[in-house]
């Protein structure tokens, strides 16, 4: 199953040091950053957050149970969990929701819920960060992990990046013949390797022992009321120390992969997910026909959405549940989320329109694409900061948060509109707070 990405995720971890990236702003106040964990009698997947990306799960020749962990910084009702997660997965998945009571870190969370993860005595379990998306070769990665001659404590999915961009990610130095991880550095200040961490791991249950040793060693350094004693990072506290010891391996993929750190990444990811729909689930894409809107390229329209036959959509457009698209509307390279109304003869280009928003007639929403350089092999999305050195807003896609109202006959260009705003006029290169 391939699920189109949902933007507006809330970061679930505090800053822990040098950060070269830019996180996607929280605009909806209704969704959080995910991480995935799941389990079967022989395999467990494990997740910290609301599941949004299932591309690759359908290829696994296993029945899968998924545990969702949500950080203490953002609580969701059971209804929200079902709306955001259950609707996106098939009934062959078992879904369980777990809530952190404080920020535990990428490794601390799975250690805290180790009993639930170990239920059924899995041979291994996947961990997927929720701010990454791609065409994940999970079955191939699992085969690689299980066929290793030397047991692996953790196997990392890696991919290549350009020399300049590699320092924005965790960098891996591998032994070409055995694929052992010889050296690992998280976001180095200088070039280390073109091979980067994709944020997808297969872990042996023995990793709990390793994390437990770190947890116990920290108890002497923190007071009982401290919130930092259980915050353990998988990358810094586990991967970096065991690199070069023969306990970590890397599985390299050349399939599409991207982080979702900026709003522009959501449009880029949407395009690639629609391409995967075209290859794997083409019946889910909209088609041209009598009394149907004009479709150009890959377009997904939710069955409950209403689109006027005179509208023109595509390429690379996703329309969410109960959205209403009026007569003469033109939409291209955009995401229209649920319960949104786009009134007659409006134009939406390179824009994310949030839930429950309204765009008036004859209005124009337009952003600037920020795709990777197509002339550079292995180029990834650049995490461009919001502002340039002159303090001006860098051109990027236009974003409407949830419950935004745009009046008729206005232009919103390269702007970010936070939730619950009624715009009185046109805007250009602005953040509307």
């Amino acid at each position: 199953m391939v699920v189109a990405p949902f933007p507006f995720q809330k970061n679930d971890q505090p800053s822990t040091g040098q950060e070269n990236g830019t996180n996607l702003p929280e605009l909806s106040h209704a969704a959080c950053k995910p991480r995935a964990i799941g389990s079967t009698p022989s395999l467990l997947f494990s997740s910290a957050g609301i599941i949004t990306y299932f591309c690759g799960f359908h290829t696994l020749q296993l029945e899968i149970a998924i545990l969702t962990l949500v950080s203490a910084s953002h609580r969701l009702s059971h209804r929200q969990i079902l709306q955001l997660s259950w609707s996106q997965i098939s009934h062959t998945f078992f879904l369980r929701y777990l809530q952190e009571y404080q920020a535990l870190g990428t490794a601390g969370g799975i250690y805290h819920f180790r009993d639930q993860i170990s239920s059924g005595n899995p041979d291994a379990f996947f961990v997927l960060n929720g701010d990454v998306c791609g065409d994940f070769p999970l079955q191939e990665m699992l085969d690689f992990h299980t066929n290793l001659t030397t047991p692996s404590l953790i196997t990392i999915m890696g991919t290549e990046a350009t020399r300049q961009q590699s320092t924005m990610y965790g960098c891996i130095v591998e032994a070409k013949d055995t694929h052992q991880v010889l050296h690992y550095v998280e976001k180095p200040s200088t070039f280390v390797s073109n091979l980067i961490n994709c944020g997808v791991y297969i872990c042996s249950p023995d990793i709990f022992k390793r994390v437990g040793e770190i947890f116990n060693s920290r108890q002497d350094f923190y007071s009982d009321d401290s919130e930092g004693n259980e915050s353990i990072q998988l990358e810094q506290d586990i991967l970096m120390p065991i690199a070069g010891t023969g306990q970590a391996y890397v599985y390299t993929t050349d399939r599409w992969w991207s982080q979702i750190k900026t709003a522009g990444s959501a449009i880029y990811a949407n395009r690639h997910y629609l391409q995967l729909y075209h290859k794997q689930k083409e019946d889910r894409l909209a088609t041209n026909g009598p009394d149907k809107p004009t479709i150009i390229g890959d377009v997904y329209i939710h069955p409950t959405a209403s689109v006027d036959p005179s509208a023109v959509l595509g390429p690379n457009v996703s329309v969410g549940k109960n959205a209403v698209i009026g007569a003469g509307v033109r939409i291209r390279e955009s995401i229209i989320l649920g319960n949104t109304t786009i009134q007659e003869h409006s134009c939406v280009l390179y824009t994310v329109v949030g839930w429950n928003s309204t765009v008036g007639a004859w209005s124009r929403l337009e952003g600037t694409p920020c795709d990777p350089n197509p002339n550079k092999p292995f180029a990834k999305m650049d995490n461009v900061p919001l502002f340039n050195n002159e303090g001006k807003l860098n051109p990027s896609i236009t974003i409407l948060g949830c419950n935004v109202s745009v009046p008729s006959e206005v232009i919103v260009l390269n702007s970010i509109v936070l939730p619950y705003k009624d715009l009185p006029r046109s805007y250009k290169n602005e953040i509307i707070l």
Side-chain angles (χ1 to χ4, degrees):
M1 173 170 52
V2 181
V3 179
F6 288 84
F8 311 142
Q9 300 163 347
K10 180 176 179 181
N11 191 1
D12 68 338
Q13 297 295 342
S15 174
T16 56
Q18 179 184 1
E19 294 185 3
N20 297 329
T22 302
N23 289 331
L24 187 66
E26 179 197 358
L27 295 183
S28 70
H29 300 277
C32 62
K33 176 182 176 180
R35 186 173 302 111
I37 311 172
S39 166
T40 72
S42 61
L43 174 72
L44 179 95
F45 283 87
S46 198
S47 154
I50 295 303
I51 303 299
T52 50
Y53 307 110
F54 287 92
C55 178
F57 280 15
H58 70 289
T59 64
L60 286 162
Q61 305 302 312
L62 296 164
E63 292 183 358
I64 299 171
I66 298 176
L67 308 180
T68 64
L69 303 180
V70 177
S71 71
S73 61
H74 196 91
R75 296 183 180 275
L76 298 175
S77 68
H78 292 292
R79 183 177 181 181
Q80 288 174 307
I81 298 164
L82 293 175
Q83 287 177 338
L84 292 174
S85 297
W86 183 247
S87 62
Q88 302 178 37
I89 63 179
S90 70
H91 294 288
T92 60
F93 292 87
F94 170 75
L95 181 65
R96 186 170 183 180
Y97 168 81
L98 302 173
Q99 172 74 54
E100 290 181 353
Y101 63 92
Q102 67 181 51
L104 301 176
T106 50
I110 62 175
Y111 177 71
H112 181 76
F113 295 106
R114 59 192 180 277
D115 291 338
Q116 289 89 335
I117 295 173
S118 300
S119 177
N121 296 318
D123 297 328
F125 62 94
F126 277 88
V127 176
L128 290 82
N129 288 336
D131 58 355
V132 299
C133 60
D135 185 8
F136 300 126
L138 297 185
Q139 183 64 54
E140 293 85 346
M141 184 180 180
L142 176 60
D143 294 339
F144 170 84
H145 177 83
T146 55
N147 292 330
L148 289 170
T149 56
T150 303
S152 173
L153 189 68
I154 183 170
T155 298
I156 313 165
M157 183 180 292
T159 190
E160 289 195 53
T162 64
R163 183 184 181 94
Q164 294 78 11
Q165 291 180 323
S166 63
T167 57
M168 307 288 289
Y169 306 91
C171 293
I172 305 167
V173 178
E174 71 163 333
K176 296 296 184 180
D177 54 342
T178 64
H179 302 291
Q180 285 190 18
V181 176
L182 302 178
H183 186 54
Y184 182 87
V185 184
E186 184 69 17
K187 296 180 182 177
S189 57
T190 58
F191 174 75
V192 173
S193 170
N194 291 104
L195 188 60
I196 63 172
N197 183 357
C198 289
V200 179
Y201 312 94
I202 300 179
C203 300
S204 165
D206 293 336
I207 200 171
F208 295 129
K209 181 180 178 181
R210 179 84 185 190
V211 180
E213 292 172 353
I214 297 172
F215 173 77
N216 292 329
S217 67
R218 293 184 176 182
Q219 301 309 301
D220 297 335
F221 298 96
Y222 293 92
S223 61
D224 293 338
D225 59 349
S226 172
E227 293 187 358
N229 57 348
E230 288 192 45
S231 181
I232 303 173
Q233 303 301 324
L234 189 63
E235 298 81 6
Q236 291 91 338
D237 297 321
I238 303 297
L239 289 179
M240 293 176 66
I242 69 173
T245 65
Q247 301 179 77
Y249 288 79
V250 58
Y251 173 79
T252 305
T253 178
D254 58 359
R255 297 188 188 182
W256 163 69
W257 174 90
S258 179
Q259 277 191 328
I260 303 294
K261 290 291 188 182
T262 63
S265 302
I267 296 295
Y268 175 71
N270 180 66
R271 180 188 312 151
H272 281 275
Y273 272 112
L274 290 173
Q275 290 176 2
L276 290 176
Y277 269 131
H278 186 84
K279 294 178 181 178
Q280 302 174 6
K281 299 288 183 180
E282 189 174 6
D283 58 310
R284 296 187 180 184
L285 296 178
T287 57
N288 290 294
D291 299 323
K292 291 184 178 180
T294 301
I295 302 298
I296 303 173
D298 297 329
V299 175
Y300 171 78
I301 301 175
H302 193 278
T304 62
S306 174
V307 182
D308 191 274
S310 62
V312 180
L313 278 63
N316 306 317
V317 172
S318 293
V319 179
K321 183 178 180 180
N322 296 322
V324 178
I325 310 297
V329 168
R330 178 69 173 102
I331 304 177
R332 175 179 180 176
E333 298 281 354
S334 298
I335 300 173
I336 311 299
L337 295 178
N339 300 303
T340 291
T341 299
I342 311 294
Q343 295 180 1
E344 294 78 7
H345 305 292
S346 293
C347 183
V348 182
L349 309 174
Y350 294 98
T351 297
V352 177
V353 182
W355 293 279
N356 306 308
S357 294
T358 301
V359 178
W362 295 98
S363 289
R364 184 181 184 93
L365 308 179
E366 184 173 358
T368 299
C370 47
D371 295 343
N373 188 339
N375 298 319
K376 289 185 177 181
F378 311 113
K380 310 300 179 186
M381 287 289 298
D382 286 321
N383 295 328
V384 180
L386 282 177
F387 301 97
N388 58 25
N389 294 332
E390 299 177 355
K392 296 181 180 180
L393 190 67
N394 281 319
S396 184
I397 71 167
T398 289
I399 307 170
L400 301 188
C402 63
N403 297 278
V404 169
S405 178
V406 178
S408 299
E409 302 178 11
V410 302
I411 298 176
V412 181
L413 178 65
N414 297 335
S415 297
I416 298 174
V417 184
L418 268 67
Y420 303 99
K421 300 298 177 184
D422 293 331
L423 302 188
R425 57 178 176 84
S426 296
Y427 291 91
K428 178 181 179 180
N429 299 327
E430 294 188 44
I431 298 179
I432 296 90
L433 301 175

